Amino acid sequence: MAKKSISGRQLRKMVTDFAEQQQNNTFNYHQVSAALGLKAPAQQRSVALCLAELAFDGDIVEVSPGKYKAIVRTTEATGTFVRRSNGKNSVITDEDGETIQVAERNSLHAFNGDKVRVSIAARRKGAEPEAEVVEIIESTEQTFIGTLQVDRHFAYLLTDSKFLATDIFIPKAKLKGGQTGDKAVVKITDWPADAKNPRGEVIDILGKTGENDAEIHGILAEFGLPYKYPETVEKAADKITAGITDEEVARRIDMRGIPTFTIDPRDAKDFDDALSIRRLPNGNYEIGVHIADVTHYVRPGSIIDKEAEKRATSVYLVDRVVPMLPEHLCNGICSLRPDEDKLTFSCIFEMDENAKVLKSQIARTVTRSIRRFAYEEAQEVIETGKGDLADEILTLDRLAKILRKDRYDNGSVEFDRAEVRFDIDETGHPIGVFFKESKDANKLIEEFMLLANRTVAEFIGRPQGRKKPKAFVYRVHDMPDPGKLADLSSLAKTFGYKVRPTGSTKDVNRSINRMLADVKGKGEENFLSTIAIRSMAKAVYQTDNIGHYGLAFDYYTHFTSPIRRFPDMMVHRLLERYLGGGRSVNIEKLAEQCKHSSDMEQLASNAERASIKYKQVEYMNDHLGEIYSGVISGVTEWGLYVELDDNKCEGLVPVRDLADDYYDFDEKNFCLTGRRHNTRYRLGDPVKVQVARANLDKKQLDFALVDEEGRPRSARTDNKGENIGAKEALRRQGTKKPKSRRHDSRRSGKKGK
C-alpha cells in the first residue's frame, strides 16, 4: 500500500470491503491494518476508529471489545443464555460468540447457562440487535443460595443472586425443616410460563443467616463447590497406611541423609514440597526439589481419586481450607512433616556457583525433613545470616536470586502485589487486616518450584531425536490481546513511560517490567499496574503446549502441589508411565480433564475472592462513617470502585451519588467525566471516601466521596454554601438536562462488577 495519505471516506470503503469478504470470520484492527498494508501507528489508530464508527452505525457488529464481524443475515441461531438480575439478559451465539440482548418477556424463562435456540430480530441501524428464545434445547440444573422466609400459607427464598431477579416460591412440604432466617440451598423445580416466580425445593440448610459457617458454606455452594467431605471417602482414606517398607525404599533413591527442610506459611498443615542441598566433591551443589508422592497412595479410579478429580483443587478461603484430598492424606500421610520418613517424587539438580543446571534427574525418592520453617523464620535467617540451616538457606537464596534475574532478563513479567489477609476471632469475625508480602524466602521457594515444573515439562515436551512428544498436561499462558497491549502502551505514554505493544515476548515483557519498576511509589502506580495485569490472558491447563507467556517459558507444567491440585497428580501419573517406557495416553480424555481442572480453578478463585469480599464488608461494617484515603480501582458506567490504602477493602461510589454533574463513562480511558464542569475520575486517582453502607447479604460496600476536610463532594453548593442537587444547579445556570445515549448519573446505577 502506498504511503500517501488516505481520506476518511476512502478508508471507510476499504475497511467495509474487507469486512464483507470475511463472511463469518471475526477480525480486529491489527488484522485489518495488516490486510490493508497500513503499518504506521497513526494509520492503525484510524482503522481502529473506523471499525468503532462502523459498529456504531450498524454496518458491522462488535461481538466483543475490539473484535468485529460482518452482519449476519440469518434469523435463527443457537447459543448459551445469560440471565442477569438487572433484566439485561442475553444469548452468546455458538457460531461466532456474538452477544445479543434478550428482553425478559422474550426469554421463555430460560436460566443462566441454558442452551437455547433464538430468533434474531431484523437489525435496526444504530441499535443493538435483539433476540427471542424460541426453544430451550438443554436446561442446566439451577441452585440458589439465600434466606428462607416461611409464612403461614407459603414460603419463599430471598436470594441476592446476580442471575435471578425474583424470589423462589417453595411448597411447605419441600422446606426440609427450614425456618425463617435459615441460610438455604434451593433447587429450581419449575417455572410455569404464566408465573412471575420460579418454584423450588430446599436441598440443604446451611445454618442461620449471618453465622460465619453458614455464610462461608453459602459462598462455596454459590459457586457449585463442595462444603463438606463425603464420609465414605474419608473412611477409605483412613484405611491407608504410610507403607514405607524396606521393599518400597529399595525401589527408590534414599535421600534421608541429606539436609532437607520445608518452608511454608505459618498456619499451613499440608506440606507439598521440601528442599534439600549438599555440596558435591566436585564443588557443585546437588539440590533436590522433593514433592509429596500422592499418587503412590491414591490409585486411579478409586473412590478417593474420583472425588479428587471432581474437586480438582483445594479451595483457600479467608478462614479455612476446603481440601481436595481427605485430611488423613493431605495433612497426614502425604504431608512432608518434620522428623518423618516420606515417599516423594523429586527433581534433583546439579548446579554450579552461577546457578547453571549441569544435570537433572526426575526420580521417586524417600526423604526426611529435619526442620519445618515458616516463611517468617526463613526470612529472618536470610536477613541476619543466623539460625538453623543458615548455610543451606543462604546458599539457596543466592542461587534463587540468580535464577530470578535470568528469568526476568529472558522476558518473564514481574507482578508483585500484596495479598490481603484478616485476623479472625474465635467466632470468625474479622478484627484486623494485614498484608501478605512476597519476600526473599517466598521467592526462594518460588524459583525452585518454577525450575522443577519447567524441567518436568521439558522432559516430556522436548523429546530426544525425531520422537513425537507424548500426551501431557501443560500449564499454558497465551499472549496478551494485541488491542489491550496497544491500550496499555498508549496510556503509559501519557505518563511518560514506554511500553512496547509489539515485538518479541522478551522485548515486550522487558518494557512492561521497566514500566512497573519505574512507577513504584508514584501516583500512577496503581493505575498502570492494574491496566498491565488486565492486559494479560488467564493461565490454563491444556494438552496443546503454546508456552507460558508471563513466565517466558517454552515449556511449563504443574508438578509441585499434588496435595492441593489434581493436574499435578495427573502429571505425576504421566511421569511414572513414561519413565517406565509406557505409551502415550488418550489425549482426548486428558484434554477433558485439563478443561475441568481449569474451570474448577476459576470457580475456586471466584469463591476465594467472594470470601475476602464478605470479610471486607463485615470488617468495614464496624467502621461505618469513618473516612479513609484510597485509589480508584475500577471505573464503570454505574460508578467508581475505590480501594482503601489502609486495608485494601474495596467499595463502590455509585454514579447516582455523584449529583454535582452528569457523568459520561469513557471505557477506553477508564474514567468518568462530568459534562459541564469536566471533573474527571480516572482509574488510579487518589481520593478520600467515607464508609456509607455495608450490605452483608450482597457483599457490597458503598462509599461516599469527601474532600480533604471530610465534607461530601457528591453535591454542589450554592453561593451561601448550601447543598443543591445537580438538576437545580443546572436550572440556576439556565441549562437544560443534556440529551445523550450515555449514563445519567442521577438514575439508579447497577451494582457489582
Side-chain angles (χ1 to χ4, degrees):
M1 181 67 64
K3 293 185 178 180
K4 66 179 182 179
S5 61
I6 302 170
S7 70
R9 182 176 298 178
Q10 287 175 312
L11 181 62
R12 186 178 180 107
K13 185 179 187 310
M14 292 162 62
V15 173
T16 302
D17 290 345
F18 172 86
E20 289 176 351
Q21 295 168 12
Q22 302 310 302
Q23 299 179 353
N24 270 332
N25 296 326
T26 58
F27 47 85
N28 58 34
Y29 80 93
H30 277 293
Q31 293 166 314
V32 178
S33 299
L36 300 181
L38 304 177
K39 299 180 180 179
Q43 291 175 320
Q44 293 186 355
R45 284 193 294 270
S46 296
V47 170
L49 181 60
C50 182
L51 287 168
E53 289 174 347
L54 287 169
F56 179 78
D57 291 341
D59 294 327
I60 60 175
V61 180
E62 186 173 18
V63 296
S64 62
K67 191 175 180 180
Y68 302 89
K69 68 183 290 292
I71 291 177
V72 179
R73 301 298 178 185
T74 55
T75 58
E76 277 207 354
T78 60
T80 302
F81 191 78
V82 179
R83 173 171 286 279
R84 289 289 181 265
S85 61
N86 58 13
K88 293 193 174 182
N89 307 327
S90 60
V91 62
I92 301 173
T93 61
D94 293 332
E95 187 174 14
D96 51 29
E98 181 180 0
T99 299
I100 305 175
Q101 299 303 310
V102 180
E104 179 60 35
R105 64 182 180 278
N106 296 325
S107 70
L108 211 63
H109 289 335
F111 280 108
N112 193 63
D114 285 356
K115 282 287 184 182
V116 296
R117 186 183 309 281
V118 296
S119 173
I120 304 171
R123 193 184 304 271
R124 291 175 296 152
K125 194 165 185 175
E128 294 290 332
E130 293 186 14
E132 177 182 359
V133 178
V134 295
E135 181 188 1
I136 298 175
I137 301 171
E138 183 181 337
S139 296
T140 55
E141 184 174 291
Q142 299 289 326
T143 57
F144 293 91
I145 319 302
T147 302
L148 287 176
Q149 182 68 42
V150 183
D151 293 336
R152 184 176 179 182
H153 300 294
F154 59 89
Y156 53 93
L157 184 80
L158 300 168
T159 173
D160 292 314
S161 170
K162 63 183 179 181
F163 300 124
L164 190 64
T166 63
D167 302 331
I168 302 170
F169 283 129
I170 305 168
K172 297 193 76 172
K174 300 290 185 179
L175 282 171
K176 208 173 182 178
Q179 300 176 353
T180 295
D182 283 348
K183 195 89 172 179
V185 184
V186 169
K187 179 176 71 174
I188 298 289
T189 56
D190 185 29
W191 194 347
D194 57 349
K196 182 180 178 182
N197 298 74
R199 297 169 184 168
E201 63 178 77
V202 174
I203 58 176
D204 202 4
I205 301 295
L206 303 177
K208 287 294 180 184
T209 294
E211 292 179 349
N212 186 62
D213 279 353
E215 296 297 337
I216 295 299
H217 289 168
I219 288 170
L220 290 164
E222 176 187 350
F223 292 100
L225 296 168
Y227 46 89
K228 50 190 175 184
Y229 219 93
E231 287 186 20
T232 52
V233 181
E234 289 187 327
K235 287 179 180 178
D238 290 341
K239 296 176 182 177
I240 297 174
T241 60
I244 306 179
T245 63
D246 291 342
E247 292 77 14
E248 184 59 39
V249 171
R251 287 192 284 266
R252 297 168 177 259
I253 299 175
D254 190 347
M255 302 187 72
R256 288 175 291 184
I258 303 171
T260 303
F261 54 91
T262 61
I263 305 178
D264 289 281
R266 186 180 297 278
D267 57 352
K269 297 177 182 177
D270 53 343
F271 309 137
D272 282 285
D273 54 84
L275 292 176
S276 69
I277 180 171
R278 65 176 173 177
R279 197 88 184 223
L280 296 173
N282 62 7
N284 293 327
Y285 299 102
E286 179 194 82
I287 295 171
V289 178
H290 307 291
I291 309 303
D293 193 356
V294 173
T295 56
H296 175 80
Y297 300 102
V298 181
R299 308 312 299 171
S302 67
I303 187 174
I304 302 171
D305 180 55
K306 289 177 180 177
E307 183 67 22
E309 181 176 0
K310 183 170 72 174
R311 292 175 177 241
T313 180
S314 295
V315 184
Y316 290 81
L317 304 180
V318 166
D319 64 342
R320 71 194 66 193
V321 177
V322 182
M324 180 182 75
L325 295 170
E327 186 174 337
H328 179 64
L329 292 177
C330 66
N331 293 351
I333 285 178
C334 296
S335 185
L336 306 185
R337 300 185 297 193
D339 303 320
E340 295 180 13
D341 291 350
K342 294 292 178 178
L343 302 181
T344 43
F345 216 150
S346 305
C347 283
I348 305 164
F349 303 98
E350 181 179 340
M351 303 179 79
D352 65 16
E353 288 284 353
N354 298 314
K356 182 179 179 181
V357 177
L358 305 174
K359 295 179 185 176
S360 65
Q361 180 183 9
I362 302 169
R364 278 193 146 103
T365 55
V366 183
T367 54
R368 184 181 182 89
S369 170
I370 60 174
R371 177 73 153 84
R372 183 249 161 146
F373 288 94
Y375 278 118
E376 294 82 358
E377 294 172 315
Q379 185 64 31
E380 186 175 354
V381 171
I382 291 171
E383 292 175 359
T384 65
K386 300 177 182 178
D388 293 346
L389 299 169
D391 288 345
E392 287 82 357
I393 290 176
L394 291 172
T395 299
L396 288 169
D397 177 58
R398 181 177 62 79
L399 296 173
K401 284 172 178 170
I402 297 172
L403 290 172
R404 189 175 181 84
K405 181 180 181 303
D406 289 345
R407 183 160 59 84
Y408 288 135
D409 286 346
N410 287 326
S412 184
V413 184
E414 183 175 11
F415 290 116
D416 195 6
R417 294 169 69 89
E419 297 179 32
V420 180
R421 293 290 183 267
F422 291 90
D423 288 320
I424 305 289
D425 67 16
E426 62 277 1
T427 68
H429 188 78
I431 55 177
V433 181
F434 64 95
F435 305 120
K436 176 187 171 185
E437 295 184 45
S438 183
K439 296 186 177 181
D440 287 341
N442 305 78
K443 294 172 182 177
L444 182 163
I445 294 297
E446 178 186 26
E447 287 307 319
F448 283 103
M449 297 307 114
L450 289 175
L451 179 62
N453 287 333
R454 183 184 187 181
T455 300
V456 168
E458 286 184 342
F459 176 74
I460 302 299
R462 185 182 281 162
Q464 299 297 319
R466 297 183 178 180
K467 291 182 180 179
K468 183 180 178 181
K470 294 178 179 179
F472 199 58
V473 176
Y474 296 97
R475 179 69 168 177
V476 303
H477 186 224
D478 206 351
M479 294 182 64
D481 177 80
K484 290 182 179 179
L485 268 185
D487 290 342
L488 172 62
S489 177
S490 176
L491 290 167
K493 190 175 181 179
T494 64
F495 290 97
Y497 305 104
K498 185 177 180 181
V499 171
R500 295 191 58 163
T502 59
S504 68
T505 296
K506 182 184 293 188
D507 290 339
V508 171
N509 288 359
R510 277 178 176 173
S511 71
I512 293 175
N513 285 341
R514 279 195 298 271
M515 184 269 289
L516 291 172
D518 291 343
V519 300
K520 283 284 186 185
K522 297 180 181 176
E524 60 270 20
E525 177 183 0
N526 194 72
F527 172 56
L528 290 177
S529 61
T530 299
I531 300 301
I533 290 173
R534 291 180 182 178
S535 71
M536 296 290 158
K538 290 186 185 300
V540 295
Y541 299 104
Q542 64 182 46
T543 56
D544 180 22
N545 179 41
I546 60 171
H548 197 293
Y549 179 88
L551 293 172
F553 290 167
D554 292 331
Y555 299 89
Y556 190 65
T557 190
H558 273 169
F559 162 78
T560 54
S561 295
I563 286 178
R564 61 186 179 91
R565 294 188 304 227
F566 192 75
D568 300 58
M569 288 177 59
M570 293 162 62
V571 166
H572 281 217
R573 286 172 177 160
L574 291 170
L575 273 176
E576 179 184 26
R577 180 186 182 99
Y578 297 156
L579 285 169
R583 300 179 66 180
S584 184
V585 300
N586 182 288
I587 196 166
E588 285 79 16
K589 181 181 178 182
L590 200 62
E592 290 175 6
Q593 291 176 309
C594 285
K595 185 177 186 309
H596 173 70
S597 295
S598 297
D599 292 343
M600 294 303 292
E601 177 189 37
Q602 185 60 55
L603 287 175
S605 178
N606 292 342
E608 179 185 4
R609 284 195 294 268
S611 76
I612 291 171
K613 185 65 178 178
Y614 182 81
K615 290 301 174 188
Q616 287 178 333
V617 176
E618 191 177 8
Y619 177 75
M620 295 309 295
N621 193 44
D622 296 336
H623 300 272
L624 290 174
E626 295 183 17
I627 293 172
Y628 293 87
S629 296
V631 293
I632 296 175
S633 56
V635 182
T636 69
E637 61 181 299
W638 56 87
L640 306 169
Y641 287 92
V642 176
E643 183 182 87
L644 305 183
D645 296 334
D646 288 352
N647 51 41
K648 302 301 180 187
C649 292
E650 187 180 61
L652 176 71
V653 178
V655 73
R656 65 173 180 269
D657 291 348
L658 299 177
D660 62 330
D661 208 336
Y662 297 93
Y663 283 87
D664 292 333
F665 173 48
D666 183 347
E667 186 176 8
K668 194 78 169 178
N669 292 300
F670 303 93
C671 65
L672 287 176
T673 305
R675 295 184 192 152
R676 287 202 53 78
H677 307 289
N678 206 35
T679 303
R680 185 173 70 166
Y681 296 107
R682 186 176 186 179
L683 192 69
D685 283 351
V687 291
K688 277 191 176 294
V689 294
Q690 185 177 43
V691 184
R693 291 173 289 274
N695 188 323
L696 283 166
D697 291 335
K698 295 183 178 180
K699 305 181 190 68
Q700 184 173 290
L701 276 176
D702 278 359
F703 294 152
L705 290 175
V706 297
D707 62 18
E708 289 299 319
E709 281 69 44
R711 296 174 301 197
R713 291 174 56 182
S714 59
R716 291 192 56 75
T717 58
D718 61 13
N719 54 12
K720 296 180 181 178
E722 296 177 355
N723 287 341
I724 58 175
K727 184 176 180 180
E728 175 65 10
L730 292 174
R731 187 191 68 77
R732 294 185 187 186
Q733 295 170 31
T735 306
K736 293 183 179 180
K737 173 184 168 183
K739 293 182 179 179
S740 170
R741 295 174 65 251
R742 297 286 189 176
H743 190 90
D744 182 337
S745 65
R746 297 179 307 161
R747 289 159 45 193
S748 294
K750 294 184 291 183
K751 295 292 181 72
K753 279 190 174 179

